[in-house]
Amino acid sequence: MEINQLTLEDVREQVENFSLREGIKNVEDNLEFPQLAVQFSGVPEDENSYFNTLYELGNSERTLLLEDVLDKKIDNQNFQNLQKIYIVLQENPKISMNRIVAFMQGMQLLPETSTSEEWLMRRYIHWLEKLKGERAIENGIDQTFKRILTDAIKWGFTYLQPELRLSRENWRTLVWYKSTIINESQRWFIELSLHLGFDVVYIDISKKYPSPNLPVTTYKESKNSAPFPTEKIAILSTVARKASTEFNALINQGSQVIFKPYQFKNANLTSLRLQTTYDELKILGTSNAYVRPAFQAESMLVTIPTLFAKVNGLLSNEADYWQQLKDIKNNNQNSSLIYEFPIIPKPQDSKKLSIQREYAQEYAEYREYIFNADFTANSLIESMFWPYNKLPTGAQLALANNIVQFTEKSNVILKYQENQELLKAHLFSTLLKIPDTWMKHFQATDYPKKVPKIIAFLSDEVEFTREDAILLSFMNRMGFDIILYNPLGQNDIENFISEDTFDIHWLENLKSISISEMLTYTGKKKTGFLNLFN
């Protein structure tokens, strides 16, 4: 029985709990299970939750994760026996698959099973008849047939035999995550797995590498091929229609929550991005940290639920749009509104350098330090590079720890043919230039209470750079709310960092708004460096 049009979460639940499957039968004291056979093409709108479900599925004890390259090791005796099989097939092109499978069984080329040998041989016969029917040529078999059968024998021993030795209810589900073209051997291995009764879940996020063996659930969106996720994405989704009730309840009890002033000044900081709707931005953007979902504070670690969002376009009622921007900005004195880019202007002498030369210089300057086992928070604040030594020691350590982590693993998109080490050196160099105003916000913030904010207004007059994206993304990691407003809906930050690390909200109207118009609407006057309103 094949089950189609399931969500990935449905599949994960059925993998973990057989009882959720419809059609389980008890036949002569043996349980018969409906077979999961499905592929997912593309990604749904809520791709963060999808990838987190995928991570859970691939790391479950109930699944066997397969990726692009499968182990092709084969015992030498098995290889020699296979050559004998091919000679028989070549010399006797009309030989039945019953006899071939009998030869294979006698030469121990079939995997061991806890069920009867007769059942296993019958399954292999059906599979070989289908393969030979498609691959047979006038004088016997071709090289593709040999390669497919050879690979199937190898992978049968490596991946299927450990499961076949167990009772059926203990077999793991095969989860095949593909980011390259599926070849003929892989296609027929899936077919063999299905013939043997295995559950198979096939994942193709790019929509480029479909499996012809399996029914498909297709999503509207797609993503570029990428390795299987190595960790869950730190997000917390909220639901608009119940947000008001939850937040009102939390806010109403806010007076009962008591924190000493700067109680966590020496704690390390980590952030958790809140995934929101546009309507929730104002609710969350004006709320204290401790009433936000998933806020946690321990003696040495504070988890700050933060906003990282981009708002494209304008509301039909523009007055409401500008009022919300002002409400979020004015809710907290540790907030900055920025509208001139790049955030950190380049020195005149560096403007003459190409990007490649600039990155090379940074690599030459920092490589001996950042690619060293001693690249730690403690060593960083004591290094000659450290520019933030006026901060309290606890704040310095929290900042340094996040700089080290962001340098090692960021959400910045690697450019075509870009060297990972050059990028790391550039990240490190950029993070040594955080604006003083932002550092003052960081130092002044008592984190269980207000959440510092950077609000970026992006008109089509400005040039948003990779360094701007790095700085804003990093400050979100440091517990800042980051909200970008782009009335014309042009690309800016999405050119440089992964889109699954921030929300994008599209409003009703797209319109070019100049900086001077924005200043008029928000009632601000243009000031000095960085135009930061505090």
Side-chain angles (χ1 to χ4, degrees):
M1 175 180 175
E2 293 181 341
I3 303 174
N4 195 16
Q5 297 306 312
L6 298 171
T7 67
L8 192 65
E9 179 61 25
D10 292 334
V11 168
R12 188 192 67 79
E13 291 177 354
Q14 293 194 22
V15 166
E16 296 291 345
N17 187 351
F18 273 117
S19 65
L20 295 177
R21 301 191 191 185
E22 296 181 2
I24 297 177
K25 299 177 181 178
N26 191 324
V27 180
E28 296 180 359
D29 294 328
N30 291 314
L31 288 179
E32 289 188 359
F33 299 96
Q35 186 179 20
L36 277 172
V38 63
Q39 65 178 306
F40 293 92
S41 178
V43 293
E45 183 176 345
D46 186 2
E47 63 182 58
N48 289 326
S49 298
Y50 180 80
F51 279 106
N52 282 347
T53 301
L54 180 57
Y55 173 83
E56 292 175 353
L57 183 66
N59 286 276
S60 168
E61 293 181 355
R62 297 287 306 155
T63 61
L64 175 60
L65 179 63
L66 306 175
E67 297 188 63
D68 291 315
V69 180
L70 300 185
D71 191 345
K72 287 196 174 186
K73 294 177 183 175
I74 186 170
D75 178 81
N76 184 56
Q77 185 60 54
N78 287 342
F79 182 78
Q80 291 180 20
N81 287 338
L82 266 172
Q83 303 316 303
K84 295 176 183 177
I85 296 290
Y86 297 145
I87 292 171
V88 172
L89 279 165
Q90 200 69 40
E91 293 177 349
N92 303 277
K94 295 184 179 180
I95 192 171
S96 72
M97 291 300 101
N98 299 50
R99 292 191 63 191
I100 291 299
V101 171
F103 287 143
M104 291 173 63
Q105 178 67 10
M107 296 178 182
Q108 297 183 327
L109 290 174
L110 300 184
E112 298 175 5
T113 177
S114 64
T115 58
S116 69
E117 289 184 358
E118 181 184 353
W119 169 86
L120 183 70
M121 292 174 68
R122 190 166 60 249
R123 297 289 88 206
Y124 267 86
I125 289 167
H126 290 165
W127 176 75
L128 275 171
E129 285 176 342
K130 188 172 182 178
L131 173 60
K132 191 169 187 291
E134 184 170 314
R135 299 302 319 176
I137 58 177
E138 192 171 323
N139 296 319
I141 58 172
D142 62 7
Q143 288 299 320
T144 302
F145 181 100
K146 293 180 182 179
R147 183 170 63 251
I148 291 169
L149 182 54
T150 300
D151 286 339
I153 297 301
K154 297 173 186 175
W155 297 335
F157 283 120
T158 303
Y159 300 108
L160 304 185
Q161 180 169 269
E163 312 305 317
L164 289 166
R165 286 170 170 166
L166 306 173
S167 58
R168 172 63 183 89
E169 62 269 23
N170 292 319
W171 291 4
R172 291 178 291 176
T173 296
L174 305 182
V175 176
W176 203 327
Y177 181 82
K178 286 294 289 179
S179 58
T180 59
I181 294 174
I182 182 170
N183 62 40
E184 284 293 287
S185 288
Q186 293 169 345
R187 172 197 163 195
W188 282 98
F189 181 61
I190 291 175
E191 191 68 35
L192 174 61
S193 302
L194 294 173
H195 270 69
L196 293 173
F198 279 86
D199 294 337
V200 179
V201 181
Y202 184 94
I203 310 291
D204 170 27
I205 63 173
S206 69
K207 294 187 175 180
K208 296 178 181 177
Y209 315 117
S211 167
N213 312 73
L214 299 163
V216 60
T217 294
T218 303
Y219 295 112
K220 182 178 179 181
E221 304 297 329
S222 63
K223 284 187 71 70
N224 291 332
S225 297
F228 189 85
T230 56
E231 60 184 5
K232 295 183 73 172
I233 302 168
I235 61 169
L236 184 68
S237 297
T238 61
V239 181
R241 62 176 175 267
K242 70 180 212 178
S244 179
T245 302
E246 292 178 353
F247 289 128
N248 285 339
L250 286 165
I251 289 168
N252 288 337
Q253 70 178 19
S255 60
Q256 303 172 20
V257 181
I258 299 174
F259 295 103
K260 296 177 182 178
Y262 296 95
Q263 178 176 341
F264 302 101
K265 66 181 184 299
N266 292 320
N268 197 9
L269 291 175
T270 184
S271 67
L272 176 69
R273 178 170 68 87
L274 292 168
Q275 191 177 35
T276 71
T277 65
Y278 174 75
D279 291 333
E280 291 170 326
L281 279 181
K282 183 177 178 180
I283 300 172
L284 285 160
T286 56
S287 66
N288 288 339
Y290 67 83
V291 300
R292 293 184 176 187
F295 170 81
Q296 290 186 345
E298 301 173 1
S299 61
M300 294 307 296
L301 178 65
V302 178
T303 301
I304 310 296
T306 62
L307 304 172
F308 193 0
K310 180 184 176 186
V311 179
N312 283 323
L314 297 164
L315 292 172
S316 296
N317 185 335
E318 291 188 18
D320 288 348
Y321 173 88
W322 295 111
Q323 189 59 50
Q324 175 169 308
L325 190 156
K326 288 192 288 185
D327 288 346
I328 294 174
K329 163 66 187 67
N330 296 333
N331 174 258
N332 186 348
Q333 64 181 358
N334 292 318
S335 298
S336 294
L337 172 64
I338 60 175
Y339 54 82
E340 288 189 346
F341 299 88
I343 294 169
I344 304 296
K346 290 186 178 182
Q348 286 296 324
D349 54 350
S350 69
K351 288 182 179 180
K352 300 176 183 178
L353 293 176
S354 67
I355 292 177
Q356 291 81 1
R357 287 286 301 278
E358 180 186 348
Y359 280 30
Q361 283 191 2
E362 292 168 340
Y363 179 71
E365 183 174 1
Y366 300 121
R367 65 180 179 183
E368 291 187 4
Y369 176 61
I370 64 175
F371 301 114
N372 188 297
D374 198 36
F375 183 41
T376 63
N378 286 315
S379 70
L380 179 55
I381 64 175
E382 295 174 359
S383 73
M384 59 184 291
F385 308 118
W386 189 243
Y388 308 114
N389 50 21
K390 291 184 180 180
L391 293 173
T393 302
Q396 287 191 56
L397 283 169
L399 178 62
N401 186 59
N402 278 287
I403 288 177
V404 170
Q405 292 179 10
F406 194 85
T407 300
E408 292 291 345
K409 185 173 183 180
S410 75
N411 59 346
V412 177
I413 298 170
L414 197 66
K415 296 178 182 178
Y416 177 65
Q417 292 187 335
E418 182 175 29
N419 182 288
Q420 183 72 250
E421 292 191 348
L422 287 179
L423 174 60
K424 287 184 178 181
H426 184 63
L427 293 173
F428 181 69
S429 175
T430 302
L431 297 180
L432 298 180
K433 305 180 182 73
I434 300 172
D436 289 343
T437 302
W438 297 359
M439 286 293 92
K440 289 175 183 176
H441 292 338
F442 169 59
Q443 182 179 349
T445 296
D446 191 357
Y447 269 104
K449 301 172 184 176
K450 299 292 185 181
V451 179
K453 295 171 178 45
I454 299 171
I455 298 170
F457 181 83
L458 295 145
S459 76
D460 51 336
E461 306 168 63
V462 302
E463 181 181 352
F464 189 88
T465 68
R466 194 186 204 190
E467 293 71 35
D468 298 331
I470 291 169
L471 289 169
L472 291 174
S473 182
F474 176 76
M475 295 312 292
N476 180 247
R477 178 187 283 256
M478 288 299 300
F480 279 57
D481 285 341
I482 307 294
I483 306 176
L484 298 89
Y485 290 87
N486 190 320
L488 194 55
Q490 295 177 315
N491 277 5
D492 36 64
I493 195 168
E494 52 266 73
N495 290 334
F496 304 108
I497 69 171
S498 301
E499 288 190 32
D500 58 6
T501 57
F502 63 99
D503 294 325
I504 299 179
H505 305 295
W506 287 91
L507 305 184
E508 292 97 328
N509 301 320
L510 298 179
K511 180 180 176 182
S512 176
I513 301 287
S514 68
I515 292 173
S516 59
E517 288 177 294
M518 180 273 295
L519 294 174
T520 300
Y521 292 134
T522 56
K524 297 294 183 180
K525 293 182 179 179
K526 196 169 183 177
T527 59
F529 174 67
L530 263 185
N531 298 298
L532 303 174
F533 300 118
N534 305 305

